[in-house]
Amino acid sequence: MAEVATRQRHHGVNARRRRRLDVWRRVVFVVLGLFFLTPLYAMAEFTTRGNGENAPRTLDAWRQIVEYPELTGAILTSLELAAITSVVMLLLLVPTMIWVRLRLPRMRRVVEYICLLPLTIPALVLVVGLAPIYLWVTYFFGDSPLTLAFAYVVLVLPYAYRAIDSGLEAIDVPTMSEAARSLGAGWPTVMWRVVVPNIRPAILNASLLSVALVMGEFTIAQLLNYQNLQVAINLLGRANAGVSIAVALASLLLAFALLLVLSFVGGGRGARSAVEKG
């Protein structure tokens, strides 16, 4: 009887803890939701505000977006930059990090230091160093805003490295590679058909971080005299504040939708993999 009573007390304590934890989670969720949604609501309210004090709401600012064709080009440029940066970052980091873990474990700290170094360098200082390099980039690749991908790959390295490193820490890479090698698989097969499928969520997270950073980057593009979405919004704000805020809100919603689609794609694949393994 005493043991049963003790179990009931423990069960009651655990139930109360779970209820408090659920309440705390809801409070945090609501606070964070208000923190993120309030600025978006303010932007939407500003873009639909009428000219007079009691004027009705209007969508003129949103209709005027099509009157600025340079915005379409800037949006396409940012999307292309996001895609190019994500692909180059993955091709650069994923094989390197897997190879270092398998064959050069002593180099892990060196690779980590190099990848995290951009976090310690302010954007202005980074541009000062990139400016002379971009003279050669322009000479070889032309004066295209897509060449910003070289700089953006450097910017996303710290965030992508942490995401991919977390995925590699979650699996036993040496054991998996040794098992595959014992079955006759070569190193490319071990890397791309054994390790990479098991770190797919980490690769997706790194891609999401890259897309978010590129879509919101302004400083480097502005100082290197290239026009991406954020630079176009800044220039438009000097002529028409309402339209610039509408474009900024639309770009945020587009980025949220893109990240949501990518996360659902990754989640769906992860769920199918779990079902197949089960």
Side-chain angles (χ1 to χ4, degrees):
M1 294 296 294
E3 184 178 353
V4 173
T6 303
R7 290 180 179 178
Q8 290 178 347
R9 284 198 300 272
H10 283 301
H11 180 73
V13 171
N14 292 333
R16 287 194 296 271
R17 288 178 178 175
R18 285 195 296 269
R19 285 195 296 269
R20 287 197 295 267
L21 184 59
D22 290 338
V23 171
W24 176 246
R25 287 175 178 172
R26 292 191 182 97
V27 170
V28 171
F29 180 79
V30 170
V31 171
L32 292 179
L34 292 175
F35 178 79
F36 286 108
L37 293 178
T38 301
L40 299 180
Y41 170 77
M43 295 171 71
E45 193 277 334
F46 180 80
T47 57
T48 58
R49 188 181 300 171
N51 293 327
E53 183 177 352
N54 296 320
R57 296 286 175 182
T58 177
L59 296 176
D60 290 342
W62 293 86
R63 297 190 187 99
Q64 292 176 18
I65 293 179
V66 296
E67 299 178 6
Y68 299 91
E70 64 272 12
L71 286 174
T72 303
I75 292 172
L76 292 177
T77 298
S78 291
L79 291 175
E80 291 173 354
L81 282 170
I84 295 172
T85 302
S86 298
V87 171
V88 174
M89 175 272 299
L90 292 177
L91 292 177
L92 180 65
L93 270 187
V94 173
T96 301
M97 295 179 65
I98 294 175
W99 186 253
V100 167
R101 277 183 175 268
L102 292 177
R103 307 295 293 175
L104 302 170
R106 294 182 180 180
M107 294 294 294
R108 283 185 59 186
R109 294 300 180 187
V110 177
V111 174
E112 180 180 10
Y113 174 79
I114 294 174
C115 291
L116 298 182
L117 191 60
L119 282 178
T120 65
I121 304 175
L124 293 175
V125 178
L126 194 62
V127 171
V128 172
L130 288 173
I133 296 176
Y134 262 79
L135 295 177
W136 290 99
V137 171
T138 302
Y139 178 77
F140 286 107
F141 298 97
D143 192 20
S144 170
L146 296 182
T147 57
L148 283 171
F150 292 105
Y152 289 166
V153 169
V154 176
L155 285 183
V156 305
L157 277 180
Y159 311 100
Y161 175 86
R162 281 305 184 196
I164 297 174
D165 186 64
S166 299
L168 291 173
E169 286 286 349
I171 62 175
D172 191 351
V173 179
T175 301
M176 295 173 60
S177 64
E178 290 174 5
R181 292 283 292 170
S182 66
L183 296 174
W187 286 115
T189 302
V190 171
M191 187 174 298
W192 298 111
R193 300 188 63 181
V194 177
V195 179
V196 168
N198 285 279
I199 60 170
R200 186 177 295 161
I203 292 175
L204 179 63
N205 290 336
S207 302
L208 295 178
L209 291 172
S210 301
V211 170
L213 189 146
V214 172
M215 293 297 292
E217 203 284 322
F218 169 78
T219 304
I220 292 180
Q222 173 72 11
L223 295 178
L224 291 178
N225 296 320
Y226 290 106
Q227 187 169 10
N228 63 359
L229 178 59
Q230 299 304 321
V231 174
I233 291 174
N234 179 63
L235 294 175
L236 181 59
R238 302 174 184 178
N240 193 324
V243 176
S244 67
I245 296 300
V247 175
L249 179 58
S251 66
L252 286 174
L253 296 178
L254 176 63
F256 290 159
L258 180 61
L259 297 179
L260 189 64
V261 169
L262 290 176
S263 64
F264 271 114
V265 170
R269 289 178 178 176
R272 286 195 296 271
S273 299
V275 172
E276 292 173 358
K277 291 178 180 179

